Amino acid sequence: METRHESKTKMLNAALHVIRAKGYSAARIEDICEAASLTKGSFFHHFDSKEELALAAADYWIENAAALFASAPYHALADPLDRLLAYIDLRKALLVGELPDFTCFAGTMVQEVYDTHPAIREACDRSISEHAATLVPDIEEAMRQRDMRPDWTAESLALYTQATLQGAFILAKAKHNREVAAASINHLRRYLELLFNGQSAAAHLHSRRTR
C-alpha cells in the first residue's frame, strides 16, 4: 500500500509539472510517466485516463496550496490590511524557479479546457474560488475597521486579486520573464493600499463634515 501511495504521489507531482509546462492537451501520459520515472502500467494502476489524472491533480493542487497558505506567518499579523498585503508579498516571493514551477496549475488548465472538459473546468474554478474565499474575512475586517461602505463586495475584491495574479502568470509566460509578474504583483499591492487607505481617509472626512 505504501509503495502504491508513493507512486501515485509521484504521478500527481509529475502531472503538475508537465501540464504547467506543456498544457493539458500537449501533455501525454508518456510524458507524465517519464517525469515521474514510472511506467504506463503504474499510471493505469491509479488512473483510467488523463482526465481522471487531471482531476486528481487538481484536488492535490488544492490540498497542497491550502496547507501552504494556512500555515503562512501573515495570519499572525494584527491588522487585517497588513495580513492582506503580506499575502500579496508571499505570492511575489513564490515567483522562484522556472515558469512551470511558479505558475498556477488550475489557471494553466482552465484557459485551455474551459469549453471542452467541464469537469476539469469546475475543478479549476473550485481551486481558484476556494483560495480567493480565504481572503474574504481579512478584507471584510479591513472594511469594517475603516467604516467602508463601497459598491463592491469583499468576495469580488478577493476574486480580483486572483485575476491579477493569473494575468501576471500569463505575462510571465508571454515574455518568458518572471520580473513582469513581480511588477504586476507590486501594482496589485499598491492598488490595495490606495483602495483601503483612500477609502478610510474619505470616510473620515465625510464623518467630520456631517457632524
Side-chain angles (χ1 to χ4, degrees):
M1 289 294 293
E2 182 64 29
T3 301
R4 286 199 293 271
H5 176 74
E6 182 181 355
S7 64
K8 185 174 183 179
T9 300
K10 286 182 177 179
M11 202 71 75
L12 292 170
N13 283 320
L16 295 183
H17 180 79
V18 173
I19 292 174
R20 281 192 285 178
K22 295 188 173 186
Y24 176 76
S25 296
R28 303 177 305 159
I29 290 174
E30 291 84 357
D31 298 327
I32 295 168
C33 290
E34 181 180 357
S37 298
L38 295 169
T39 65
K40 287 183 72 174
S42 180
F43 176 93
F44 286 109
H45 177 77
H46 297 296
F47 308 103
D48 291 332
S49 65
K50 187 173 76 171
E51 180 171 2
E52 185 177 317
L53 169 63
L55 291 170
D59 287 337
Y60 184 65
W61 175 260
I62 292 169
E63 291 166 10
N64 279 279
L68 170 66
F69 287 99
S71 63
Y74 67 82
H75 294 290
L77 297 174
D79 188 284
L81 180 57
D82 287 342
R83 293 196 295 270
L84 184 60
L85 295 176
Y87 161 79
I88 300 300
D89 292 339
L90 175 58
R91 296 305 302 257
K92 181 182 174 183
L94 292 173
L95 299 176
V96 295
E98 300 298 323
L99 286 170
D101 298 326
F102 67 77
T103 50
C104 178
F105 176 73
T108 297
M109 277 208 304
V110 77
Q111 293 173 57
E112 185 179 358
V113 306
Y114 71 94
D115 196 42
T116 56
H117 294 73
I120 297 179
R121 180 194 62 76
E122 290 170 5
C124 294
D125 175 45
R126 182 162 54 88
S127 173
I128 296 169
S129 296
E130 288 183 0
H131 181 68
T134 66
L135 305 179
V136 170
D138 287 339
I139 295 173
E140 289 179 334
E141 185 178 347
M143 292 166 66
R144 286 194 298 272
Q145 284 188 358
R146 290 156 179 80
D147 194 28
M148 293 169 62
R149 297 177 178 83
D151 58 357
W152 46 267
T153 65
E155 291 79 5
S156 69
L157 181 59
L159 285 173
Y160 173 75
T161 65
Q162 304 312 299
T164 304
L165 291 167
Q166 295 297 338
F169 297 146
I170 291 173
L171 283 174
K173 292 175 182 175
K175 295 183 177 296
H176 208 73
N177 184 342
R178 76 167 58 85
E179 294 307 316
V180 68
S184 295
I185 294 173
N186 287 340
H187 280 300
L188 174 61
R189 192 186 200 281
R190 284 189 286 268
Y191 170 74
L192 292 171
E193 288 182 296
L194 289 169
L195 179 67
F196 282 95
N197 292 331
Q199 289 277 345
S200 179
H204 178 69
L205 180 61
H206 177 74
S207 176
R208 291 184 60 185
R209 286 175 174 173
T210 55
R211 284 175 184 170

